[in-house]
Amino acid sequence: MKLTRALFTGVASLVAIVALWMAALVVFDVSPYVGKGPIDVWNYLFTMPAAAENREVLWGNLLQTLTDASVGFVAGLVVAILVAILFALSRGIEHALMPIAMLLRSVPLVALAPIIILIFGREVTVVAVMSGIVVLFPALVNIVYGLRSASPQILDVVSVYGGSRWTALRLVAMPSSLPAFFASVRISVPGAITGALLAEWLATGNGIGYAIVSAIGRAKINEVWASVVAITLASMVLYAIAAFIESLVLRRWGSDTVR
């Protein structure tokens, strides 16, 4: 039933997006040269003489971007989890490090990109850093909130029986933070893709992030729209997978927390 509802929601969202897409082209009277519709994208990928080559190029770019996004997703989420645990154990560490996290969030990544590229180069490390920065702050805030949402009464019981802060965190706070953790995962999926696209555009010259900029420069508008559609669909699918895994995990291990 959960899977059926998720599939129905996904199809309904896709239909709504396509309808809005077509309506926007009409309402804003976008030139057919610039504004391509779903049929144009379909023809570019499936009916044109060069459709097979177009699909191959697009698939290669998409895989590269998803790989880059995965690197940033893991890097940002792991750092967010570790820092959130430190914050939960010590308010002093939080007061010292939170301004740094806020600085990374408040300064546009485009402005930080030249410094990051100078430090880390133009390989996979810069992708992990730039994409991880996009993921880090929202994931950190959610996880910290989840760790501090544990019942004070249960925490007092652990303390009365001689448990340390780490014991209370491990046995009480972490299980109670599962909903917040998975909310962070869902938020991080599109954030990681956004960061990967920026890194590809500004640093690595690979993937869909660079392909879109390159296609605009070469006036290949159909390729631009096909790339945007591909990465949008990938984002929707990955978000749906994250939400589905969340429902399974919370139903199995987090039922008490959810209630």
Side-chain angles (χ1 to χ4, degrees):
M1 182 63 72
K2 285 273 189 182
L3 181 59
T4 303
R5 187 161 63 235
L7 289 174
F8 176 78
T9 302
V11 171
S13 299
L14 184 60
V15 170
I17 290 172
V18 171
L20 288 172
W21 175 7
M22 298 175 66
L25 293 177
V26 174
V27 170
F28 294 104
D29 193 24
V30 181
S31 167
Y33 176 77
V34 175
K36 304 297 182 180
I39 295 176
D40 298 308
V41 173
W42 177 269
N43 291 337
Y44 175 79
L45 293 176
F46 297 104
T47 65
M48 292 176 59
E53 181 181 350
N54 295 337
R55 289 196 305 272
E56 183 179 357
V57 172
L58 180 61
W59 180 246
N61 289 331
L62 180 61
L63 285 180
Q64 181 63 56
T65 297
L66 293 180
T67 301
D68 292 341
S70 299
V71 171
F73 174 83
V74 172
L77 198 59
V78 168
V79 172
I81 292 170
L82 295 177
V83 175
I85 291 173
L86 291 176
F87 285 3
L89 292 174
S90 171
R91 290 279 186 177
I93 294 177
E94 179 180 2
H95 293 156
L97 296 184
M98 183 58 82
I100 299 176
M102 294 180 65
L103 175 65
L104 291 176
R105 179 62 176 176
S106 59
V107 178
L109 191 56
V110 174
L112 289 174
I115 298 175
I116 296 173
I117 294 170
L118 283 174
I119 295 173
F120 297 101
R122 294 180 178 270
E123 302 301 328
V124 67
T125 306
V126 76
V127 175
V129 173
M130 293 180 69
S131 189
I133 288 174
V134 178
V135 170
L136 174 62
F137 188 78
L140 176 62
V141 171
N142 272 282
I143 295 172
V144 169
Y145 173 79
L147 290 174
R148 289 184 175 154
S149 65
S151 169
Q153 291 79 12
I154 300 178
L155 293 174
D156 288 341
V157 170
V158 175
S159 178
V160 166
Y161 281 91
S164 63
R165 282 190 175 185
W166 170 248
T167 301
L169 183 72
R170 180 169 54 87
L171 298 180
V172 180
M174 286 184 177
S176 71
S177 70
L178 280 176
F181 170 76
F182 279 106
S184 301
V185 170
R186 285 187 280 111
I187 293 171
S188 298
V189 167
I193 291 176
T194 300
L197 291 173
L198 282 171
E200 290 168 350
W201 168 39
L202 298 171
T204 67
N206 297 318
I208 284 185
Y210 179 76
I212 291 175
V213 177
S214 176
I216 291 175
R218 292 177 286 122
K220 292 191 174 184
I221 308 303
N222 283 325
E223 182 179 345
V224 174
W225 283 87
S227 298
V228 171
V229 168
I231 197 63
T232 301
L233 289 176
S235 299
M236 292 175 62
V237 170
L238 292 174
Y239 184 91
I241 291 173
F244 182 68
I245 293 174
E246 175 186 7
S247 67
L248 292 179
V249 172
L250 293 184
R251 185 169 57 186
R252 174 63 179 85
W253 286 291
S255 57
D256 293 336
T257 301
V258 173
R259 285 198 298 268

